[in-house]
Amino acid sequence: MPDSSKAVVRKILTALFIIVVLIGFDQWTKKLAVEYLMNKPSIPLIKDVLELTYVENFGAAFGMMQGKHGFFTIIAICVTLFLLFAIAVIPLTKRYIPLMLSFVFIIAGALGNLVDRVLHTYVVDFIYFKLIDFPVFNVADIYISVSCAVLVLLVMFYYKDEELNFKFR
């Protein structure tokens, strides 16, 4: 049975609240990175393994597609609208909370990095896995990467195909 319109509005408002909190945390960590890392040497957290280092990323994840500011803006907006629509049509039951939370974290990550692109034309990255020379990333990137991995696992092992056929009314 589809959710009532009040339940859908409550669900979307709850998702938006969580998204705003997650974006706030992401932006706060980036502010700290600017304040304590910009134009300063890296700070090792685990010697030769994990460091905090300031990087301005003008591209997408891991520095790909440098300078495509407009493209990333359009993608972030489209992903956000699509996933908010998906949240609206997913039944509000315990079974679908992991799916909705994955969508919420992906939206928060996309918008967290979009805020940087709009304000600065670059994204502040500051977490560096030196051990494997992994590209420098940020909290919003963690939201997106972990949520996408969880989403793949949910679709492959948790939900049956027929459970993912939602109808909008």
Side-chain angles (χ1 to χ4, degrees), residues 28-38 54 124-126:
W28 177 68
T29 61
K30 290 172 180 173
K31 181 181 181 294
L32 290 174
V34 169
E35 186 175 337
Y36 293 104
L37 299 171
M38 186 178 197
Y54 180 84
V124 173
D125 288 333
F126 58 92

Side-chain angles (χ1 to χ4, degrees), residues 17-27 104-105 108-109 139 143:
F17 175 77
I18 296 168
I19 290 164
V20 168
V21 169
L22 291 170
I23 292 170
F25 180 70
D26 170 65
Q27 290 298 304
V104 162
F105 273 85
V139 171
Y143 293 164

Side-chain angles (χ1 to χ4, degrees), residues 96 159-166:
Y96 292 107
Y159 298 112
K160 297 177 184 131
D161 288 344
E162 58 272 8
E163 290 180 291
L164 298 174
N165 293 327
F166 306 112

Side-chain angles (χ1 to χ4, degrees), residues 1-5 8 85 88-90 165-169:
M1 170 168 258
D3 297 333
S4 72
S5 59
V8 170
F85 176 78
V89 300
I90 293 170
N165 293 327
F166 306 112
K167 295 197 179 0
F168 186 73
R169 293 182 191 212

Side-chain angles (χ1 to χ4, degrees), residues 108-146:
L111 294 181
N113 284 337
L114 179 61
V115 168
D116 278 15
R117 286 190 182 94
V118 168
L119 294 178
H120 314 294
T121 70
Y122 57 85
V123 174
V124 173
D125 288 333
F126 58 92
I127 303 167
Y128 176 52
F129 275 111
K130 186 176 186 176
L131 180 67
I132 58 173
D133 194 27
F134 196 78
V136 182
F137 57 97
N138 61 47
V139 171
D141 296 334
I142 295 170
Y143 293 164
I144 294 168
S145 300
V146 171

Side-chain angles (χ1 to χ4, degrees), residues 44-162:
L45 296 178
I46 302 171
K47 186 176 173 23
D48 297 324
V49 176
L50 182 64
E51 294 182 351
L52 298 178
T53 188
Y54 180 84
V55 173
E56 294 174 357
N57 180 355
F58 291 86
F62 316 124
M64 298 181 300
M65 299 176 63
Q66 294 290 313
K68 305 287 186 197
H69 181 72
F71 174 75
F72 299 131
T73 300
I74 292 167
I75 293 298
I77 292 169
C78 290
V79 165
T80 297
L81 292 174
F82 175 78
L83 292 179
L84 283 173
F85 176 78
I87 289 169
V89 300
I90 293 170
L92 187 55
T93 64
K94 280 186 179 181
R95 179 125 179 106
Y96 292 107
I97 288 174
L99 184 63
M100 286 188 276
L101 283 175
S102 294
F103 291 169
V104 162
F105 273 85
I106 291 168
I107 293 168
L111 294 181
N113 284 337
L114 179 61
V115 168
D116 278 15
R117 286 190 182 94
V118 168
L119 294 178
H120 314 294
T121 70
Y122 57 85
V123 174
V124 173
D125 288 333
F126 58 92
I127 303 167
Y128 176 52
F129 275 111
K130 186 176 186 176
L131 180 67
I132 58 173
D133 194 27
F134 196 78
V136 182
F137 57 97
N138 61 47
V139 171
D141 296 334
I142 295 170
Y143 293 164
I144 294 168
S145 300
V146 171
S147 296
C148 285
V150 167
L151 193 55
V152 167
L153 293 173
L154 288 171
V155 170
M156 289 178 63
F157 302 110
Y158 186 69
Y159 298 112
K160 297 177 184 131
D161 288 344
E162 58 272 8

